[in-house]
Amino acid sequence: MVCAALATMATSATAATLTVSAGGDLQAALNAAQPGDTILLQPGATFTGNFILPVKNGSADITIRSAAPDSALPADGQRITPDYAVQLPKLRSNSNGAALATAPGASHWRLMFLEFFPEPGTTTADLVELGATGSQQNTLVQVPQHFIVDRVYMHGDPTNGQRRGIALNSGDTQVLNSYFADFKGKNVDTQAICGWNGPGPYLVENNYLEAAGENIMFGGSDPSVPNLVPSDITIRHNLISRPMAWMNQGWTVKNLVEFKNAENAVVEGNIIENHWVGGQQGSAIVVTPRNQSNTAPWTVVRNITFQNNIIRHVSSGFNILGYDNLAPSQQTDTVIVRNNLLYDVSAKYTSSSTAGPARLAIVGAGPKNVTFDHNTVDNDGASTLFLYGGATPTGVQITGFTLTNNLLKQNSWAIYGDAVGQGQPAIDHFTPNATIAHNTFAGAAARLYPTGNDFPAVAQWLADFADRTNGDYRLVPTSLSRNAGSDGKDIGVDYVELMAAINGASSPVVAPPPVVVPPPLVNPPVVMPPPVVTPPPPVAKPPVTTPSGSRPYSGTAIGLPGRIQAENYDKGGEGVAFHDTTGGNAGKTYRTDGVDLQATTDAGGGRDLGWTVKGEWLKYSVTVASARRYAVSFRVASKGTGGTFHLEVDGVNVTGTMRIPNTGGWQSWTTVTRTGVALTAGPHVLRLVMDTNGTNGAVGNFNWIDVK
């Protein structure tokens, strides 16, 4: 028998269903399962131990889930809650380690409708370890890949806490619709999710994440894989929180979101709340490169975007550091903070005698390309933006600093430079050549700040909001900040975009447009906009009809959902069906019209698109069967860190910027995915666009695009 309970074959000829009842041998079922199989665990049964997900040959997921019927469980896209616990099998960690871990190189496992928690008295282990560290995982070949954790309930002991929910050291992993609670400890770091030795990409979407140390963190321990930087991270539509009751219970509290070694991350559409001064100075969100044990000088925080989030009931907002002040690191580069609402940012949130700094941000030690655009910030700290020097190899100046279209208060000092003072002297010393325009600095003296900003009285600034007491920071129709931004929008947060993101939509990741600094704002005309309402979850827009001039390669448009082979781009030639910057087919295979194709060693064989560089593109004529949201996956490879690309539908960018990670070779393949892409039914033209080159001088290789 495969396990102590029943093992039955499903009616499908290609997949089996293995059932494990209470007292059954779960590890035997894991060992016996084949790609495409489902392992059903008895609801309410407890399985204690250190189970291992083994290596299988195949690309179909093996699913481990509750045997409860779907009708008794949350639907696809619905977040699970503890109320469903009675329907869930229990996987319990013990003093020997995680309840569930992976063998080196394991791949394609899906965890659904499960509950994870520790055996009493064993709160120092991770509950789930996807990937490993040390000699078990010091090359990319050993990294486990392709995991989905969906509608899973993970929690620590209510009294004693737990170290960590998921150690996220895998590649191509999604954590969806799950519930993490009671990850807390005293004099120890704790996290709901933490990753440091996996390459990504990662999607963390629609979860409740509760922890004391850091609710979600990337970095914090040096990678065992040389030159590894966790990359292509999407954190969206989550509630990132902790109970305010913890403030006086002695748990070690540090941050809510932290990046210590990460690149190409988007944090969007989240509610990030409930943070206080505890184990650290009180910033809710931390962007600080840390070569933690002085063995990873490549450590960097780069290309991080925070947009369309609500950040509330916190002791301070952001902490952005240019270089690790304790060990060598790379320079923090490109941090964008746009269209966020920060309110109830208050000095009162502290568990000690030290008041919270209650700022928008503290920025220092010379990062570059830091942008704050279209944020609304209601704080009561002495300074709103604090700048400082610190130890850096490049000097203390912040090059490429942008502060535009923000609703800010002066308090004591709107912008303060350490040992320099407030206003223009701080700007000149720490952010020379900065763009600072179209902001309000309520209560500040205009003579202390650059022209092109507004300086209303604090009482007027507060009166501009629809219902500040209840957290409604929409501008009233009579506000002089209406339509006064550099882009013609309101100064401060765009409420329609913000609420659409909170409710499920995503926005392209873009830097703000160049700002022309005008004379000081003087009584701009009042424009009465239509009432702003919280929108429902977005629906797919009708396509923009743009005749492509190209024709399907096979004569028939590719049907979606389905797979698009990269080499089967449309016919029509240069400038019509594709744009290639070099003459001829460098791979000399399959087609002879100038696009570079080559034979691939990826599973299934065939050809791949290679030698891609910035500015090139290809079109694919498709027909979509039904209007809904799809997951779009790209099979990619790169020797060295690859470049960025995006996918357009009828001329509209639907994926945002995506990056190809370092896969270890031009024929070492991985899959990067963007979920929630809305497509309407009917014919469309997709365009795969190469945006930037990677460190190897190319964007990367493409084998196929899956839409499902």
Side-chain angles (χ1 to χ4, degrees):
M1 298 180 69
V2 172
C3 52
L6 178 65
T8 60
M9 293 299 296
T11 56
S12 168
T14 59
T17 299
L18 292 77
T19 301
V20 186
S21 299
D25 191 339
L26 175 55
Q27 188 62 58
L30 298 175
N31 295 341
Q34 296 302 309
D37 288 356
T38 298
I39 300 173
L40 296 179
L41 305 184
Q42 179 182 331
T46 298
F47 303 90
T48 301
N50 315 112
F51 303 105
I52 303 295
L53 300 178
V55 176
K56 306 289 181 177
N57 293 319
S59 58
D61 289 344
I62 300 173
T63 300
I64 311 169
R65 58 159 290 174
S66 172
D70 286 350
S71 60
L73 297 164
D76 186 23
Q78 178 184 338
R79 185 184 300 161
I80 203 167
T81 71
D83 294 339
Y84 288 95
V86 68
Q87 303 292 346
L88 307 180
K90 324 295 182 184
L91 277 74
R92 196 163 61 176
S93 63
N94 58 29
S95 59
N96 294 321
L100 193 63
T102 53
S107 67
H108 293 286
W109 291 86
R110 182 186 298 257
L111 311 179
M112 298 176 65
F113 309 126
L114 305 171
E115 180 180 0
F116 290 86
F117 60 92
E119 194 174 47
T122 61
T123 62
T124 59
D126 305 323
L127 294 183
V128 173
E129 293 178 353
L130 301 180
T133 58
S135 60
Q136 285 188 300
Q137 190 169 303
N138 55 22
T139 68
L140 286 174
V141 173
Q142 297 168 299
V143 175
Q145 298 277 349
H146 308 295
F147 297 93
I148 297 175
V149 179
D150 185 9
R151 288 163 284 178
V152 165
Y153 174 32
M154 294 193 183
H155 60 92
D157 181 86
T159 302
N160 299 308
Q162 174 68 24
R163 176 188 175 193
R164 186 177 296 123
I166 299 180
L168 192 59
N169 294 317
S170 50
D172 192 10
T173 300
Q174 301 179 29
V175 182
L176 313 171
N177 312 310
S178 294
Y179 195 101
F180 295 74
D182 276 317
F183 294 97
K184 58 193 180 186
K186 296 181 179 180
N187 302 312
V188 64
D189 265 14
T190 53
Q191 302 95 26
I193 298 173
C194 183
W196 64 95
N197 196 40
Y202 301 114
L203 173 62
V204 180
E205 183 174 72
N206 192 37
N207 305 281
Y208 173 67
L209 302 177
E210 176 186 287
E214 302 89 7
N215 297 41
I216 182 166
M217 179 168 71
F218 287 90
S221 185
D222 291 354
S224 305
V225 178
N227 299 308
L228 184 140
V229 178
S231 302
D232 303 291
I233 301 162
T234 302
I235 302 170
R236 65 187 179 202
H237 315 322
N238 303 283
L239 175 55
I240 302 173
S241 182
R242 60 174 66 101
M244 279 296 191
W246 287 5
M247 190 185 303
N248 299 311
Q249 293 178 4
W251 308 112
T252 297
V253 169
K254 291 190 174 180
N255 316 112
L256 291 167
V257 179
E258 184 162 5
F259 293 104
K260 289 185 172 182
N261 184 29
E263 63 181 357
N264 307 323
V266 178
V267 181
E268 178 175 23
N270 305 280
I271 295 175
I272 303 172
E273 65 177 14
N274 298 358
H275 181 65
W276 52 87
V277 175
Q280 290 183 343
Q281 62 179 326
S283 296
I285 298 170
V286 173
V287 181
T288 56
R290 291 296 180 193
N291 176 6
Q292 202 78 29
S293 301
N294 200 12
T295 64
W298 63 83
T299 295
V300 70
V301 182
R302 176 170 53 212
N303 297 333
I304 312 293
T305 297
F306 298 89
Q307 63 182 13
N308 299 317
N309 302 286
I310 295 175
I311 303 166
R312 63 191 183 188
H313 317 316
V314 298
S315 51
S316 204
F318 293 82
N319 179 0
I320 301 172
L321 179 75
Y323 289 90
D324 190 345
N325 59 309
L326 302 175
S329 77
Q330 304 302 303
Q331 184 180 24
T332 296
D333 184 358
T334 309
V335 179
I336 298 173
V337 180
R338 64 167 297 274
N339 213 64
N340 302 282
L341 170 61
L342 293 85
Y343 73 92
D344 194 24
V345 181
S346 178
K348 67 187 178 186
Y349 292 119
T350 180
S351 60
S352 70
S353 59
T354 301
R359 309 180 181 107
L360 161 61
I362 178 171
V363 185
K368 63 180 180 179
N369 301 323
V370 176
T371 295
F372 294 91
D373 182 56
H374 274 295
N375 303 286
T376 295
V377 184
D378 190 358
N379 66 307
D380 62 17
S383 62
T384 295
L385 185 65
F386 187 92
L387 309 174
Y388 71 99
T392 83
T394 58
V396 300
Q397 293 182 343
I398 306 166
T399 59
F401 184 80
T402 300
L403 183 72
T404 49
N405 304 309
N406 301 284
L407 283 176
L408 308 174
K409 283 194 299 181
Q410 158 85 349
N411 298 326
S412 296
W413 314 288
I415 301 176
Y416 191 87
D418 186 36
V420 175
Q422 68 171 313
Q424 198 65 54
I427 294 167
D428 292 341
H429 184 77
F430 290 109
T431 63
N433 302 312
T435 299
I436 301 178
H438 290 271
N439 305 284
T440 71
F441 297 114
R447 61 183 174 79
L448 296 176
Y449 291 91
T451 60
N453 297 285
D454 195 15
F455 303 90
V458 173
Q460 180 58 59
W461 190 88
L462 296 174
D464 274 359
F465 301 120
D467 188 1
R468 175 175 175 261
T469 301
N470 292 303
D472 185 349
Y473 283 80
R474 291 176 294 172
L475 295 178
V476 298
T478 55
S479 170
L480 298 184
S481 294
R482 283 280 196 185
N483 307 110
S486 61
D487 49 9
K489 297 167 64 174
D490 295 351
I491 297 177
V493 70
D494 180 332
Y495 244 83
V496 172
E497 181 182 334
L498 172 69
M499 296 312 299
I502 294 294
N503 289 328
S506 298
S507 302
V509 176
V510 293
V515 174
V516 177
V517 179
L521 300 174
V522 181
N523 296 328
V526 175
V527 179
M528 296 294 287
V532 179
V533 297
T534 300
V539 298
K541 298 178 182 177
V544 179
T545 26
T546 309
S548 72
S550 61
R551 309 180 307 280
Y553 174 69
S554 67
T556 303
I558 301 167
L560 300 180
R563 175 167 295 182
I564 303 167
Q565 294 293 342
E567 65 268 26
N568 290 337
Y569 52 89
D570 281 2
K571 294 179 179 179
E574 168 63 39
V576 177
F578 64 84
H579 172 54
D580 194 280
T581 58
T582 59
N585 179 350
K588 297 180 173 59
T589 184
Y590 195 57
R591 299 175 69 168
T592 59
D593 54 9
V595 175
D596 302 312
L597 305 175
Q598 63 184 342
T600 181
T601 61
D602 195 15
R607 277 78 48 181
D608 67 73
L609 171 67
W611 296 277
T612 59
V613 296
K614 174 183 176 181
E616 295 182 337
W617 51 263
L618 305 96
K619 290 181 178 178
Y620 302 86
S621 294
V622 302
T623 299
V624 178
S626 60
R628 64 177 177 87
R629 293 190 176 275
Y630 291 84
V632 182
S633 299
F634 302 82
R635 189 68 168 167
V636 295
S638 176
K639 184 178 181 180
T641 301
T644 62
F645 67 95
H646 71 271
L647 186 71
E648 297 175 358
V649 177
D650 303 321
V652 177
N653 183 346
V654 296
T655 61
T657 301
M658 301 184 70
R659 180 174 292 275
I660 299 179
N662 181 355
T663 64
W666 296 114
Q667 291 297 320
S668 296
W669 295 89
T670 192
T671 305
V672 296
T673 301
R674 182 74 77 226
T675 61
V677 175
L679 300 178
T680 55
H684 299 279
V685 175
L686 309 189
R687 193 168 79 118
L688 179 63
V689 182
M690 310 301 152
D691 293 325
T692 64
N693 294 335
T695 57
N696 50 29
V699 178
N701 291 356
F702 294 79
N703 189 4
W704 45 253
I705 306 169
D706 259 358
V707 179
K708 60 183 181 181

